[in-house]
Amino acid sequence: MRTYCGVEGGLVAKSPVVLGIESSCDETGAGLVRDGVLLGQAVASSMDEHARYGGVVPEIAARAHVHAMAPVVHEALERAGLTLADVGAVAVTTGPGLSGALQVGVAAAKGYAFSLGVPLYGVHHLAGHVAAAALDGGPLPNPCVVLIVSGGHTSLLLVHDLARDPIVHLGDTLDDAAGECFDKTARVLGLPYPGGPAVDRAARTGDPAAVRLPRPLTGPHDDPYAFSFSGLKTAAARWVEAHRAAGTTPRVPDAAASLQEAIADTLTRKAVRACTDHGITTLVVVGGVAANSRVRALTEQRCAAAGITLRVPPPRLCTDNGAMVAAIGDLLARSGAAPAPLDLSVDPSAPLEHAALTPRPRQAA
């Protein structure tokens, strides 16, 4: 549905209200955005159902999305003071993520778009995280350096016009992502899932210098923008094992604080260097790990020292949500991007190249 407003006696088209749907992992999210403004959002998480298994179970996640989708959309509309009749476009995460979970979101988005007679946009999940920063503080500068740091991804990007231009990868993780390192080390320390928030809480009473942990790929001959957290996870696990072999109890807060410091130090060191090397004055940090208190504090400190403007979304927009998907849909709609076809499919392992992601079903041989 397209709305209009009077301007000097004439009619000009306004941007549509975009409904965004996110279902790539264990959060069912719906958000509503128009002209870069978040109107309302709601999120339902199945995290508690996965906690007993120590990680996300794809079948449980997909089933939870089926049950939560309609209530979450209804709640987002209610919070925005809107109805479905006000929605002028639908955007949905089409990848990367869990295949079954993505399919639930795409099926729902197709249903809403078809029944309302409005355009449908496929969105790359990671581009959504980037767009989340624009919902708090306005449009992102062109260009900017973006650090995406989450449970499954850690990347340094050079971003120009998010809706129109290709996204340039400066560096990516070679193995484990930072969030994966948090989760796996938390399990070794006996902390609950999800590991990132658990480590953050435990670290509050710990000494970040108590355990000597490596800063991966920060040597003079290493790739300055690449990441690797597998070895850091192993080093933390060996410290725990050494204590247990000696019959002593490892002090969990010290281990948590030391791990958190090593991750924050590595991330911020590389992100600030990418900005200075490329003459970029704005760093954007997004993704679930951007909610970590030490990552936020150290990034702010180092950016201030380097004269770099820092943009980090509030914690509620760092984790997976529908608002970030709606934000990309809003940018695509305002840029005049072509909508996705209704035979839109999913790509669980899609690389991040553009904000729009419109995979099609594979043809039978």
Side-chain angles (χ1 to χ4, degrees):
M1 176 181 182
R2 186 171 292 277
T3 56
Y4 294 86
C5 64
V7 176
E8 297 180 357
L11 292 176
V12 296
K14 288 180 64 177
S15 301
V17 173
V18 180
L19 167 64
I21 292 175
E22 158 63 24
S23 68
S24 65
C25 192
D26 59 343
E27 274 104 10
T28 310
L32 295 137
V33 171
R34 179 168 60 190
D35 287 327
V37 177
L38 175 58
L39 306 175
Q41 71 158 333
V43 178
S45 175
S46 58
M47 188 179 297
D48 290 345
E49 298 178 56
H50 304 287
R52 72 185 74 175
Y53 303 103
V56 177
V57 180
E59 293 80 4
I60 293 176
R63 189 160 55 245
H65 288 309
V66 171
H67 293 301
M69 186 62 66
V72 163
V73 170
H74 176 78
E75 183 178 349
L77 287 165
E78 192 172 64
R79 290 181 176 180
L82 301 171
T83 69
L84 276 174
D86 297 308
V87 172
V90 179
V92 62
T93 299
T94 52
L98 303 174
S99 179
L102 290 167
Q103 291 284 5
V104 175
V106 168
K110 287 179 179 179
Y112 285 120
F114 180 77
S115 63
L116 295 170
V118 300
L120 173 67
Y121 296 95
V123 168
H124 196 289
H125 175 80
L126 298 182
H129 277 301
V130 179
L135 294 175
D136 183 65
L140 299 179
N142 177 2
C144 59
V145 168
V146 178
L147 171 64
I148 293 183
V149 55
S150 67
H153 303 88
T154 303
S155 298
L156 269 172
L157 312 171
L158 183 59
V159 175
H160 293 272
D161 186 318
L162 187 57
R164 296 181 173 91
D165 296 332
I167 295 169
V168 179
H169 286 248
L170 301 176
D172 299 283
T173 185
L174 305 179
D175 41 58
D176 289 356
E180 190 176 358
C181 182
F182 273 127
D183 286 339
K184 291 179 177 178
T185 307
R187 188 179 308 171
V188 172
L189 294 172
L191 295 172
Y193 176 85
V199 169
D200 202 350
R201 289 191 297 269
R204 293 170 189 167
T205 57
D207 177 3
V211 185
R212 294 186 63 183
L213 292 175
R215 273 51 172 170
L217 294 183
T218 55
H221 303 297
D222 291 322
D223 185 331
Y225 311 133
F227 299 95
S228 170
F229 292 103
S230 179
L232 177 57
K233 167 202 66 184
T234 302
R238 285 179 176 168
W239 179 83
V240 174
E241 291 165 0
H243 268 276
R244 291 172 178 164
T248 57
T249 302
R251 189 167 188 275
V252 171
D254 285 348
S258 299
L259 175 74
Q260 185 169 265
E261 189 67 22
I263 291 176
D265 184 20
T266 303
L267 292 172
T268 56
R269 191 184 304 188
K270 288 175 175 283
V272 169
R273 177 170 177 175
C275 289
T276 55
D277 286 354
H278 290 82
I280 305 296
T281 58
T282 299
L283 172 64
V284 182
V285 183
V286 296
V289 178
N292 178 272
S293 63
R294 183 55 183 157
V295 170
R296 294 174 81 94
L298 189 57
T299 310
E300 184 175 349
Q301 175 186 327
R302 287 183 169 169
C303 282
I308 296 168
T309 300
L310 176 63
R311 296 279 297 273
V312 188
R316 65 188 175 87
L317 292 177
C318 288
T319 52
D320 294 350
N321 60 83
M324 68 185 199
V325 179
I328 287 289
D330 174 61
L331 289 175
L332 292 171
R334 286 191 283 143
S335 73
L342 278 178
D343 66 345
L344 182 69
S345 186
V346 303
D347 186 349
S349 58
L352 177 57
E353 298 172 343
H354 297 86
L357 179 63
T358 55
R360 307 288 291 274
R362 292 181 180 177
Q363 300 296 323

